[in-house]
Amino acid sequence: MKLPEITKQVLNAPFVKVHWKDINSNSNWVNLKDAKNSKVTICITTGWLIKADKDVHIIVGDVNFEDNGTLGDVGNITTMPSVNVLKVKRIKFEIYI
C-alpha cells in the first residue's frame, strides 16, 4: 500500500501553530478576591488553517484519503473567534526517515 502525501494541491492550506486565548470557567465557590484574579487560558493548536477571516480561524488536525489517493474527509476541527487569536505561525514539513 502506498501511503498518501499531504501537498498543497491536496489540501490547499498552510500547516500552522496558533496561539489563542480561551474562556475559563469555574463552578466552585471561591472568594471574591480569587474570582477577580481569574485568567483566560492560553492554548496552542496545530493543524491546517482552512479558513481565516475577521470572524473565525478554522484549523483541521486530521485528514483521510480515498482509495484513489484523493482527499477524503477532515477531522479534529477547531473553530475559534478571530479576536481570540494571538499569533499564527506557519510550520514547514520536514521528512524524517
Side-chain angles (χ1 to χ4, degrees):
M1 170 194 337
K2 182 179 181 220
L3 296 177
E5 293 293 329
I6 299 290
T7 65
K8 265 195 132 167
Q9 293 77 29
V10 172
L11 201 54
N12 196 24
F15 194 82
V16 297
K17 174 173 70 172
V18 179
H19 288 81
W20 59 288
K21 57 187 174 182
D22 198 3
I23 63 169
N24 224 335
S25 152
N26 184 346
S27 63
N28 295 321
W29 288 100
V30 297
N31 65 52
L32 185 58
K33 180 182 174 191
D34 289 344
K36 286 183 176 181
N37 287 322
S38 295
K39 305 269 190 271
V40 297
T41 299
I42 302 301
C43 306
I44 297 175
T45 299
T46 58
W48 289 274
L49 180 62
I50 61 167
K51 182 176 182 180
D53 62 24
K54 67 179 182 62
D55 297 319
V56 296
H57 279 58
I58 303 174
I59 310 290
V60 297
D62 300 307
V63 297
N64 66 39
F65 292 87
E66 304 295 342
D67 289 340
N68 64 5
T70 61
L71 181 66
D73 297 316
V74 297
N76 195 19
I77 302 158
T78 302
T79 303
M80 61 196 75
S82 292
V83 297
N84 291 36
V85 173
L86 302 170
K87 180 180 180 182
V88 178
K89 181 176 180 176
R90 285 180 180 244
I91 306 283
K92 286 186 175 182
F93 281 106
E94 296 197 23
I95 298 174
Y96 297 98
I97 297 177

